Amino acid sequence: MPMQNIITHPTRLPLRHSRLPMPHFAAPRSTTTPPRTMKDNLKSKITNLKFTSRLPLLLALLFAGGAVRAADEATAAQTPLTPVYTNYMDWQFRAVEIADTNAVDNVRHQNDFTVPIHGPWLLNPSPDSITVNWITRIPCGAAIDYREKGAAEFTRVWKTTYGQIDYSSDLHTFHLEGLKPATTYEYRLVSNCDRHFTAYLDVYVGRETYSFRTIDPQRSNYKIFVTADHHGTARLTLDPMINRCGAGDADFYFFLGDNVEDNMNNARFYVTFGFLDDISRRWGPSKPTIFLRGNHDLWGRETHLWGDFFPRPDGKSYLAFAQGPALFVCLDSMAAGYGSPAQREQVARYLQEQAEWIGRLKRGPLWRKSAFRIVMAHYGIHGSSMDKTMAPVFKQVLNDSSAAGRIHLYLAGHEHGYMRIDPRSIDTKVGEISPNSRRSMELKPDNNFTHVICTLTEGMTIEVAPQKLTVRSHLWNQPAGGLRDAFEIRPDGSVRDLMEVKVFPAPAAEQDKSR
């Protein structure tokens, strides 16, 4: 029985997860995190009072609190409530009745596994290749039929092992190669069971036809979408995030790590139910998604299964690809202090391997031909809590000031708050990172690129054009909507703000160091 998405349960109750951005039903405010209530503020103040000696002050605070609360309620009453979350996805196994006057001929055979239980989803975009993945109800033989749109015949490729069809798995991956750039392809799923499983040996061809388009190296104007620290909340947050950010027409979707709710115990459940099913429902079969690992994606007893869901032909969890004027460099920042001493040594080697790979990439045509170079990772490299992990490995290779070697934008997550640091600055902009965190930063005015820390369930769009990147961080989870930040980056690395944003000067000690 296929898994169905049962929709439209109006709710004001968020997922039971402390990381989820709570729905805002009060008047719009300038912050993405709910403000402390009057009750919280009073409780904090009252705790520091001695009741017997400060009773008059206590009563004054209570009366003042009541007045302020009444004023807040009066203001809220004048503002129409606009809930952000109006439905959620409740994934269930449920019988679905199909009305069909020719049901005798059209009913699917019980061994027809061409309707996946999860997926399909696309990975690894390229001008001449792509990766297609899906999960069937049981292990079976699987093939994919694909063709250029408009062609008469499909090409069929079976999943094989040592020359024979592989019937051992329910998770199927096909790396399609030899494709044409900027070309739309159609594909369908195929299944088969062998004689050790059933007497029915038919090959079943899927009735559903999907499509994708390979990267167009000449595409000069397009949009991408970036989110971070989604923490398995897609069944509630994905639809309003994409819709309110205007990201339905993006060419690529980037998830900057901490994709699972908490860890990779029972990995398949948390990967599929947490985010992959909803991605497959929205764009997964037709547009590629790039999943970076965060520290939570590297916790748990089944972390080794990450590559089963997000495989690459080269077996690496980092990649680079370009379309038109922009190059995207996607790193795996792993998890600091993760695992045994042997594992920590391996993590350090893997980070160094990526730095050396970037060095080779900088000498190649993808880098040289790109007007803009965007690097993404879960951990930040400048002005973040993980500087000491990332900067010693990557800063030298990335902090290039030359036109041929520079990067223009570094995007990270992990901090659960938004912050921007412009090139050669020690001041921070927007500054949703806590003041204590800002005070602990060791900022130097030697970064030659714009560094952005994305917030919890970030909703960011980047419009790529030959002469500029236009970056917008959307307040998608606030009823009034609007923007948290908006700026442009030019090919020379210069930045121009597109809206007024708050600037937080660096602590005095850091300013002294920078002089």
Side-chain angles (χ1 to χ4, degrees), residues 67-327:
V68 172
R69 182 172 183 176
D72 283 349
E73 290 175 349
T75 302
Q78 299 171 6
T79 305
L81 297 179
T82 310
V84 172
Y85 304 108
T86 57
N87 61 71
Y88 64 89
M89 308 306 297
D90 189 8
W91 292 92
Q92 302 177 5
F93 285 103
R94 180 176 293 196
V96 178
E97 181 178 347
I98 307 299
D100 191 338
T101 57
N102 194 23
V104 171
D105 292 331
N106 291 337
V107 62
R108 293 184 191 258
H109 194 280
Q110 64 179 359
N111 289 336
D112 179 350
F113 300 120
T114 59
V115 177
I117 195 170
H118 303 292
W121 66 95
L122 302 180
L123 305 170
N124 305 321
S126 163
D128 58 3
S129 63
I130 203 162
T131 300
V132 186
N133 311 265
W134 70 93
I135 298 175
T136 49
R137 293 196 298 269
I138 65 169
C140 66
I144 187 169
D145 287 349
Y146 68 98
R147 67 183 179 188
E148 288 185 42
K149 186 175 182 179
E153 301 295 330
F154 283 95
T155 297
R156 177 168 297 175
V157 180
W158 284 96
K159 180 183 176 183
T160 62
T161 178
Y162 294 99
Q164 62 181 1
I165 294 176
D166 183 358
Y167 294 95
S168 67
S169 179
D170 60 351
L171 198 163
H172 309 289
T173 295
F174 288 84
H175 301 295
L176 302 182
E177 299 177 336
L179 308 179
K180 297 179 181 179
T183 302
T184 299
Y185 285 85
E186 297 176 327
Y187 69 98
R188 60 191 184 189
L189 312 183
V190 181
S191 71
N192 173 248
C193 295
D194 72 358
R195 63 185 179 85
H196 299 292
F197 178 80
T198 178
Y200 300 99
L201 305 180
D202 303 68
V203 173
Y204 296 97
V205 178
R207 303 173 189 175
E208 297 78 15
T209 300
Y210 309 97
S211 65
F212 63 84
R213 186 172 176 83
T214 52
I215 280 181
D216 181 357
Q218 305 304 317
R219 185 166 167 79
S220 58
N221 295 79
Y222 59 93
K223 180 192 298 180
I224 70 168
F225 175 77
V226 179
T227 188
D229 297 271
H230 205 263
H231 284 290
T233 63
R235 59 196 183 277
L236 178 66
T237 61
L238 191 68
D239 283 341
M241 177 190 296
I242 297 299
N243 296 341
R244 290 168 67 86
C245 292
D249 58 346
D251 281 18
F252 311 111
Y253 297 82
F254 294 84
F255 282 62
L256 304 189
D258 281 3
N259 305 286
V260 297
E261 183 174 8
D262 184 61
N263 59 55
M264 289 283 283
N265 293 326
N266 300 304
R268 176 172 293 194
F269 172 75
Y270 288 110
V271 166
T272 56
F273 182 69
F275 57 96
L276 200 50
D277 287 339
D278 286 292
I279 288 170
S280 298
R281 173 178 59 85
R282 286 296 302 240
W283 67 79
S286 59
K287 296 181 182 180
T289 309
I290 296 87
F291 297 96
L292 282 62
R293 276 196 295 194
N295 50 299
H296 285 268
D297 305 318
L298 271 160
W299 292 348
R301 62 178 174 270
E302 293 183 348
T303 60
H304 60 283
L305 297 180
W306 177 265
D308 292 356
F309 300 103
F310 311 110
R312 282 189 46 75
D314 60 6
K316 305 297 183 182
S317 54
Y318 54 88
L319 71 153
F321 67 94
Q323 178 168 265
L327 170 67

Side-chain angles (χ1 to χ4, degrees), residues 12 20 25 46 50 88 100 113 120 156 163-164 204 216 218 248 340 371 381 410 489 494 515:
R12 292 179 63 168
L20 183 66
F25 292 90
I46 291 170
K50 292 184 178 179
Y88 64 89
D100 191 338
F113 300 120
R156 177 168 297 175
Q164 62 181 1
Y204 296 97
D216 181 357
Q218 305 304 317
S340 66
I381 193 175
Y410 187 109
I489 301 178
S494 61
R515 294 191 181 104

Side-chain angles (χ1 to χ4, degrees), residues 410-429:
Y410 187 109
L411 297 174
H414 185 65
E415 309 293 341
H416 291 195
Y418 186 94
M419 182 181 70
R420 168 160 58 101
I421 304 175
D422 289 342
R424 292 166 296 283
S425 174
I426 58 173
D427 297 335
T428 60
K429 291 185 175 180

